[in-house]
Amino acid sequence: AMEGSGVYATSVSGDIVRLDAASGGQVWRVNAGEKLSGGVGAGPNLVLVGTPKGMVLAYDQNGKPLWKSKVSSEVLSAPKVSGGIVVVRAGDSRIFGLNAADGKRKWVYERVTPTLSLRSSAGVVIDGGMVYAGFAGGKLIAIRLEDGKVKWEASVAQPKGATEIERIADITSLPVVDGSLVYAVAYQGKIAGID
């Protein structure tokens, strides 16, 4: 992740490093003391990582620990931060909105998943006060960042076929926001641009 003059990276073994964007030189390195998953997210004076045990760890841009917060399951994608809210997607398809100042839960979004779905590390995209995320079953949703309320839900692909495997229509990549359109791609190749 990149924020200001810093580039942040992590390793599965728990290392978090800040590099200088101009020179590539290491500014600092800390170890979280546990394994990390899903990559690193960064925002104004905030460096965020997740763990396989569902912990979200926040550091300041000097590598000092700020807070820890527990979510429902493994963090498979990099946490995002915008507007004072940290958005974390857990492995069980729940999306959490945490207070960026102290890690306290502000909201949670959850939905029922189909019997068979793909394990996906797709996270969320935040743009214009909205959180966009794709789900199993071919659904794309827009959630308001401030309170976690669903603004809309759209179908990118409809599950079809005789077997559970044929009916997989999961959105397994990040949505792409381009102006007034949000694009999403489902597992079986369907692409949609949604207003």
Side-chain angles (χ1 to χ4, degrees):
M2 189 167 178
E3 178 66 28
S5 64
V7 177
Y8 302 91
T10 61
S11 70
V12 71
S13 62
D15 290 321
I16 306 166
V17 63
R18 177 180 175 163
L19 306 173
D20 181 86
S23 69
Q26 182 175 299
V27 178
W28 53 257
R29 175 186 296 263
V30 297
N31 190 284
E34 55 188 304
K35 289 188 174 185
L36 300 178
S37 59
V40 61
N45 200 37
L46 209 54
V47 180
L48 302 154
V49 292
T51 75
K53 295 182 178 176
M55 294 300 294
V56 180
L57 313 174
Y59 295 82
D60 70 13
Q61 289 186 348
N62 296 314
K64 177 185 162 204
L66 297 175
W67 50 260
K68 290 183 179 186
S69 186
K70 178 91 168 115
V71 296
S72 56
S73 69
E74 181 177 12
V75 179
L76 293 174
S77 60
K80 305 282 186 182
V81 61
S82 179
I85 297 176
V86 173
V87 180
V88 181
R89 185 166 186 171
D92 59 5
S93 290
R94 289 185 176 107
I95 299 175
F96 293 84
L98 309 174
N99 187 322
D102 57 15
K104 289 196 164 89
R105 185 181 300 176
K106 292 181 70 99
W107 53 262
V108 63
Y109 171 82
E110 60 183 300
R111 67 183 298 124
V112 176
T113 55
T115 308
L116 182 65
S117 64
L118 299 170
R119 179 177 166 86
S120 171
S121 61
V124 300
V125 172
I126 302 174
D127 186 85
M130 301 298 292
V131 178
Y132 301 100
F135 284 91
K139 300 293 185 188
L140 178 70
I141 63 160
I143 305 170
R144 284 199 319 237
L145 177 64
E146 64 185 41
D147 58 13
K149 302 285 187 219
V150 176
K151 185 164 183 186
W152 53 257
E153 178 178 299
S155 289
V156 173
Q158 295 293 330
K160 294 178 187 172
T163 67
E164 291 291 330
I165 291 177
E166 289 174 335
R167 286 193 292 271
I168 293 175
D170 302 5
I171 297 173
T172 56
S173 63
L174 283 173
V176 174
V177 179
D178 182 25
S180 64
L181 292 178
V182 182
Y183 296 95
V185 180
Y187 174 69
Q188 303 288 14
K190 297 279 186 182
I191 302 171
I194 296 157
D195 184 35

